[in-house]
Amino acid sequence: MADVERSAYRQPVTPSGLEAIENGTLTWLDQDMYNNLNTGVLEQYLEEKNLHESFEISHWDTRKVLIGILIGAVFSGVTAYIGLKIGMAVSAAWYVAYLLGMALKWSPSEVNISTSATTGATNASIGFIFTFPAIFLLAYSDDYIVDGGHLISSVDTLQLAFIGIIASMFAGFLGVMYFIIFRRVWLVEDPLPMPGFEATLKMLDIASDVSSGAADAARDSLKTVGSWTVITMAIMFFIDYPISWMNKMKGVPASIADSIAMMFSGEEWGLSSIYTERWIHQPSKLESGIPQYNGITPYGDGSSPFAYTFLGIEISPTLFAIGWFMKFRVAFLVNLGSIVAWFYLVPLVVLQNAPVYDPALDSYIYIQDYGDFSSPPVYPIVQWKAFGTVVRVIAIGAILGGGALGLLKMTPTFISIFSDIKTAFSGERGDEFIEGKGWYEWPLSHIPIFMVIAFFAMIIIFVLGGFPILPSVIFAVVLLLTTFLLGAIAVRVMGETGIEPVSGTSFIVLLLLLTIFLNLPLGLSKEESVLMALVGTTVFGSAISMSGTVVGDYKNSLYIGNRPYHISKGNIMGVVPGAILGAGVAIFLSKLLADGSIELLAPQANAFATFTIIVAEGQGDWYALGLGFLLGAFVEWATGMGTSFGLGMYLPTVATFPMLIGGAARDWWENRRLLPKVEKIRLKNGTEKAEKKRALMLLFTFMIAAGALTGEAFYGVETAALAVGDEVKVSHTYEPDNWMEESYLDEMIGAESDDFSQVIQYATEYNSNPANKEKCDISLDSVTCPTELKLKTWWPQVRMMIFVAVNLGLAFGVYKLFKAAGIIGSLPDEISSDDEILDAELVEK
């Protein structure tokens, strides 16, 4: 008896489903389909059904696709902001696109095709979120000084943007093309489960319901998005907008919320002891009524256990919303990394007085010496120095270890796709073209053709950008190979866990490129090698991100009867506008991040910058990197989420704890509120209506979360632009012989003292306050500080007028869009006609 093929993903088919398949009565979106998802038998049946019948269902509408591209392009900027804020490329674009299509009563086929363009536009610039900002950090940030200077002397922004954006477009096309091969293997023959895709499928099911209730629910959900966008922006204004401009040099908060906290604070304790600049944090003693170091307990206060760690929660609607999307399990695994870092590793590094490498001094310093005010270097919040040096290097190692083990775990996968690869390169034509009907799937024969086009395009782009020919040729080869091999790994992991490890695989590419460019005689200087490696990794990140998004769209298209050809076409069309707008916003934010004008965590960008210095300079704690590698590999083996664990280690608790709260709230709400209501409907009206009610209720919460993401991102981009004109700093150098003559320091320290160490102490405290963007330059015989904030007296009023005008214009535009779509007011007659609602096959259902 022959062995039955086993699969880690294939589920057993139900008896009724098998009978419906044998009789040919099973169709899209019916109950038997839902009961047999990921069985393999269902997917192969639907593939054959689609080959013959999808031409009656799947229709291309350029106008609707362009609407999807517009939504994706706008939200690509939102995604860039969120990605730099917390290191996760989360976007609400596809929710909004789905809902708009449902509100306009598009068919499920039209919604799916349009949103494939939306996701293509949103994901085309992912590399610019994770990797490209590292270039600006290495060139301009004071946190990345090496031997008294920066690894990159300067950045020609237009030149690098030209290379990155155009190359990312070709790489995005390549990423879509490659995964035409994998569609049949991973979605039909041995379907990947892709956790969470069922929610998207259920939304398409709702779109197939022609009743006014479903369309009204979609319009109500879009109103919810708009309302919560406004509410979120109002919250951000309350806790973040600088209403009060006085005493910013002393670190006094400037928002309404911070002013209230200061009002209810005494000299040593008060509301500001637990709330400072959007952070609810561990209790911290005040100094003259002013919170020090953003509520972080300094190491000098050795009697406090909080001097060895830091716990807090940022009031960020985005972070809570992302936790809601994650649910508790994923949020907990991310938090597990943060818990290990802040409850074990950081205290351990401080208590053990571990030596850490200081690039600015080009030497190792014992960590506790930073808390000694008698001589520089001084950094009172020693636990953050431990976190930023040793622990973050361990976190980088964990991301690398998780990605590397994922690579090894996926090795057997490639055996099953060799026949498809052979077909692609031999130019044979399979079932992708149906005589008399057209293209069912994008032709495999185009893959080798586009590989040749992409190969030469990369060489030309990098040469025009100023890099030599030979390194450009090597990069083109590396891109073609890694996009296929590592892209396959990333997509396979996404299919298993629901999360695509773009950053984990990008680290491998960066290491490969740095090793080649720094060690081979290619005519590149160290700076050129670093620039080319980082730009190349940026391009790779955009390529595999497009691979992941197209496979996700293929998954849903199979179950509703769409042609994969239309999905590929939609993603490809979305690449160009998405790459331009998303990359533009990311570059703009990256420049502000590097010069200290805005505060964003940007964990991947900082990790890439740190890792680049370690490799390029041969400096850094290789033992910590190796320990992290093993830790990440272990977590990957145990949970399949090693890269998420590493990301959690890289983030402070103020970023991870809100996600955990959001994930726990989602689980609580589903168990205590959602499921009981759904069960009552199931008993009364049947399973189908109960499941649709469940999807609509869950969708309503997703729209609240989408509004939170959108509101904070819009506010963040606006304030980042306004921050450029906020202040002009004037620096002055203090020396032991003249410092008492400066009236500013007389006020701060006291003219009666003649101890210059107090100047060093003040400057060190000033540097430690994250609110102070420009830092003092400290040495034993001089201190250079920004001595004055020259605020333009007219700027606060003009700033407020600009802020109000921009948001009124934004609100007016959204109102006109919603009005035209019938979301506000009555639905236009040409949209409400039933002849455009559904295709014939779905009406039959």
Side-chain angles (χ1 to χ4, degrees):
M1 182 176 179
D3 291 334
V4 177
E5 182 181 356
R6 294 182 178 270
S7 169
Y9 312 112
R10 188 176 299 175
Q11 304 298 315
V13 64
T14 63
S16 62
L18 186 59
E19 182 180 359
I21 289 173
E22 290 174 346
N23 296 332
T25 57
L26 189 152
T27 190
W28 306 289
L29 302 177
D30 68 9
Q31 197 61 44
D32 280 321
M33 188 204 81
Y34 277 110
N35 291 335
N36 290 278
L37 296 176
N38 296 318
T39 60
V41 177
L42 169 70
E43 283 75 15
Q44 292 174 47
Y45 166 81
L46 289 177
E47 177 77 355
E48 291 299 317
K49 181 179 176 68
N50 292 346
L51 276 169
H52 296 94
E53 302 179 28
S54 64
F55 294 90
E56 305 299 324
I57 298 295
S58 184
H59 300 292
W60 181 269
D61 188 320
T62 302
R63 181 182 65 86
K64 293 173 181 176
V65 170
L66 289 176
I67 292 175
I69 291 174
L70 176 63
I71 295 172
V74 171
F75 274 86
S76 65
V78 174
T79 303
Y81 175 83
I82 296 171
L84 284 170
K85 180 179 175 64
I86 61 166
M88 293 184 182
V90 179
S91 173
W94 72 274
Y95 285 109
V96 174
Y98 264 81
L99 283 172
L100 185 60
M102 289 163 60
L104 298 177
K105 294 190 175 182
W106 295 351
S107 71
S109 170
E110 292 168 330
V111 172
N112 182 228
I113 294 171
S114 176
T115 52
S116 71
T118 301
T119 55
T122 303
N123 287 275
S125 59
I126 293 299
F128 283 89
I129 302 171
F130 291 155
T131 310
F132 203 77
I135 297 174
F136 292 94
L137 292 174
L138 291 173
Y140 302 118
S141 175
D142 291 341
D143 294 331
Y144 295 97
I145 294 176
V146 180
D147 292 335
H150 288 96
L151 194 61
I152 299 175
S153 58
S154 63
V155 176
D156 187 335
T157 304
L158 291 179
Q159 176 194 31
L160 293 183
F162 163 78
I163 298 172
I165 292 175
I166 303 300
S168 291
M169 291 179 187
F170 280 93
F173 300 151
L174 186 67
V176 174
M177 291 285 184
Y178 269 158
F179 280 79
I180 295 169
I181 300 173
F182 292 90
R183 188 192 70 83
R184 174 172 287 277
V185 178
W186 285 346
L187 300 182
V188 178
E189 296 174 1
D190 192 12
L192 290 168
M194 292 193 181
F197 93 94
E198 297 88 352
T200 311
L201 188 60
K202 182 55 69 174
M203 289 176 69
L204 291 169
D205 196 350
I206 295 171
S208 72
D209 192 339
V210 299
S211 68
S212 61
D216 289 344
R219 286 192 285 272
D220 289 342
S221 294
L222 281 173
K223 291 177 186 177
T224 302
V225 176
S227 300
W228 278 92
T229 298
V230 173
I231 291 171
T232 299
M233 294 187 74
I235 292 172
M236 296 306 300
F237 179 87
F238 178 77
I239 66 175
D240 187 72
Y241 191 90
I243 292 294
S244 171
W245 292 81
M246 60 184 297
N247 294 328
K248 286 199 72 178
M249 285 287 289
K250 294 169 61 176
V252 176
S255 70
I256 296 175
D258 285 324
S259 298
I260 293 174
M262 292 292 295
M263 187 184 305
F264 291 94
S265 298
E267 286 293 305
E268 295 186 351
W269 296 97
L271 186 56
S272 291
S273 297
I274 58 172
Y275 175 82
T276 309
E277 296 188 12
R278 298 196 301 180
W279 290 4
I280 299 174
H281 52 72
Q282 61 193 35
S284 180
K285 191 175 181 180
L286 307 177
E287 186 172 317
S288 300
I290 300 172
Q292 302 297 303
Y293 318 120
N294 262 32
I296 303 172
T297 307
Y299 178 72
D301 187 8
S303 61
S304 171
F306 292 123
Y308 302 94
T309 188
F310 177 75
L311 309 177
I313 298 171
E314 180 177 349
I315 301 178
S316 169
T318 291
L319 297 174
F320 291 112
I322 289 173
W324 187 273
F325 283 124
M326 285 180 172
K327 300 188 70 173
F328 181 76
R329 179 183 179 273
V330 177
F332 175 76
L333 286 171
V334 173
N335 266 268
L336 186 60
S338 189
I339 290 169
V340 169
W342 286 96
F343 283 83
Y344 178 70
L345 293 176
V346 169
L348 184 65
V349 171
V350 176
L351 289 170
Q352 293 294 319
N353 196 21
V356 298
Y357 178 72
D358 193 321
L361 299 176
D362 192 23
S363 64
Y364 281 85
I365 304 294
Y366 285 103
I367 192 73
Q368 293 180 10
D369 288 349
Y370 283 99
D372 183 3
F373 286 97
S374 61
S375 63
V378 181
Y379 197 83
I381 45 178
V382 172
Q383 65 271 50
W384 274 75
K385 177 63 73 172
F387 173 63
T389 52
V390 178
V391 176
R392 276 193 162 168
V393 173
I394 295 175
I396 293 171
I399 295 173
L400 283 169
L405 184 59
L407 179 65
L408 293 175
K409 287 167 61 179
M410 299 302 110
T411 302
T413 300
F414 298 105
I415 298 175
S416 63
I417 63 172
F418 285 155
S419 60
D420 286 315
I421 297 172
K422 180 180 178 181
T423 301
F425 281 90
S426 64
E428 296 176 11
R429 189 173 69 187
D431 294 327
E432 67 265 14
F433 186 81
I434 307 298
E435 293 292 342
K437 293 184 177 181
W439 292 104
Y440 173 73
E441 186 171 18
W442 201 282
L444 292 174
S445 59
H446 285 192
I447 296 176
I449 296 173
F450 193 80
M451 286 178 67
V452 174
I453 295 173
F455 177 77
F456 286 105
M458 292 298 162
I459 296 172
I460 294 171
I461 292 167
F462 275 83
V463 170
L464 290 176
F467 292 103
I469 293 179
L470 182 56
S472 301
V473 173
I474 292 174
F475 168 71
V477 174
V478 169
L479 179 69
L480 292 179
L481 294 177
T482 56
T483 300
F484 178 76
L485 296 174
L486 296 182
I489 305 309
V491 172
R492 183 65 175 263
V493 172
M494 183 190 77
E496 294 174 333
T497 67
I499 298 175
E500 186 178 18
V502 176
S503 57
T505 50
S506 293
F507 269 113
I508 297 172
V509 173
L510 179 61
L511 178 60
L512 178 62
L513 292 176
L514 284 173
T515 301
I516 293 173
F517 294 151
L518 288 170
N519 295 288
L520 295 182
L522 303 174
L524 292 173
S525 65
K526 180 188 291 186
E527 181 175 337
E528 288 174 332
S529 298
V530 168
L531 278 173
M532 196 167 184
L534 287 170
V535 174
T537 307
T538 298
V539 175
F540 166 81
S542 296
I544 66 164
S545 180
M546 287 303 302
S547 297
T549 188
V550 75
V551 170
D553 291 331
Y554 284 152
K555 179 81 169 177
N556 287 289
S557 70
L558 177 66
Y559 294 117
I560 64 169
N562 261 347
R563 287 186 268 167
Y565 174 78
H566 284 157
I567 301 301
S568 301
K569 186 177 177 182
N571 271 274
I572 290 172
M573 284 188 64
V575 167
V576 175
I580 294 173
L581 188 56
V585 173
I587 291 171
F588 167 71
L589 294 175
S590 298
K591 294 178 69 175
L592 296 179
L593 173 69
D595 65 24
S597 297
I598 59 172
E599 292 183 40
L600 296 170
L601 290 173
Q604 280 90 349
N606 282 284
F608 279 118
T610 301
F611 185 71
T612 300
I613 289 179
I614 291 174
V615 175
E617 294 294 310
Q619 297 290 353
D621 193 340
W622 289 96
Y623 291 104
L625 192 70
L627 175 64
F629 187 94
L630 294 176
L631 183 59
F634 171 77
V635 176
E636 174 70 24
W637 170 78
T639 68
M641 296 186 63
T643 52
S644 295
F645 175 84
L647 178 62
M649 289 186 68
Y650 200 90
L651 296 173
T653 56
V654 290
T656 56
F657 282 3
M659 297 183 202
L660 186 64
I661 294 172
R666 164 85 177 272
D667 280 20
W668 179 90
W669 177 81
E670 287 190 351
N671 292 328
R672 298 295 184 90
R673 295 288 184 267
L674 177 64
L675 293 181
K677 290 184 179 180
V678 170
E679 190 58 31
K680 287 182 180 179
I681 297 173
R682 191 189 312 277
L683 294 173
K684 184 177 181 181
N685 300 316
T687 299
E688 184 174 355
K689 288 188 177 181
E691 288 302 312
K692 287 191 176 182
K693 180 64 175 177
R694 180 186 185 279
L696 287 172
M697 290 177 65
L698 190 59
L699 185 62
F700 180 79
T701 69
F702 286 174
M703 291 308 99
I704 295 176
L709 292 175
T710 306
E712 186 169 347
F714 282 175
Y715 174 87
V717 174
E718 291 172 12
T719 54
L722 291 171
V724 176
D726 278 352
E727 55 195 39
V728 177
K729 293 184 175 68
V730 178
S731 296
H732 187 82
T733 299
Y734 302 96
E735 298 176 350
D737 295 335
N738 70 0
W739 75 269
M740 290 178 59
E741 300 173 6
E742 304 298 329
S743 59
Y744 178 75
L745 283 177
D746 285 351
E747 294 177 9
M748 299 304 300
I749 299 174
E752 69 280 357
S753 173
D754 59 359
D755 186 358
F756 187 67
S757 66
Q758 293 192 38
V759 181
I760 296 177
Q761 179 177 344
Y762 165 72
T764 302
E765 292 176 354
Y766 177 86
N767 285 355
S768 301
N769 192 334
N772 298 323
K773 307 297 188 299
E774 294 288 337
K775 307 300 184 184
C776 295
D777 185 11
I778 305 171
S779 67
L780 288 174
D781 52 9
S782 68
V783 174
T784 300
C785 284
T787 61
E788 186 178 358
L789 264 178
K790 285 196 172 179
L791 179 66
K792 309 175 191 73
T793 55
W794 47 266
W795 175 244
Q797 293 77 20
V798 173
R799 190 187 201 276
M800 177 63 77
M801 288 189 289
I802 294 173
F803 181 80
V804 172
V806 167
N807 285 289
L808 285 177
L810 181 64
F812 180 75
V814 172
Y815 172 80
K816 294 293 289 184
L817 175 64
F818 279 21
K819 183 75 173 176
I823 296 165
I824 299 176
S826 59
L827 195 65
D829 294 336
E830 64 271 16
I831 294 175
S832 60
S833 59
D834 287 343
D835 58 348
E836 292 183 13
I837 293 176
L838 279 182
D839 300 302
E841 192 71 34
L842 291 177
V843 171
E844 241 176 66
K845 167 195 165 301

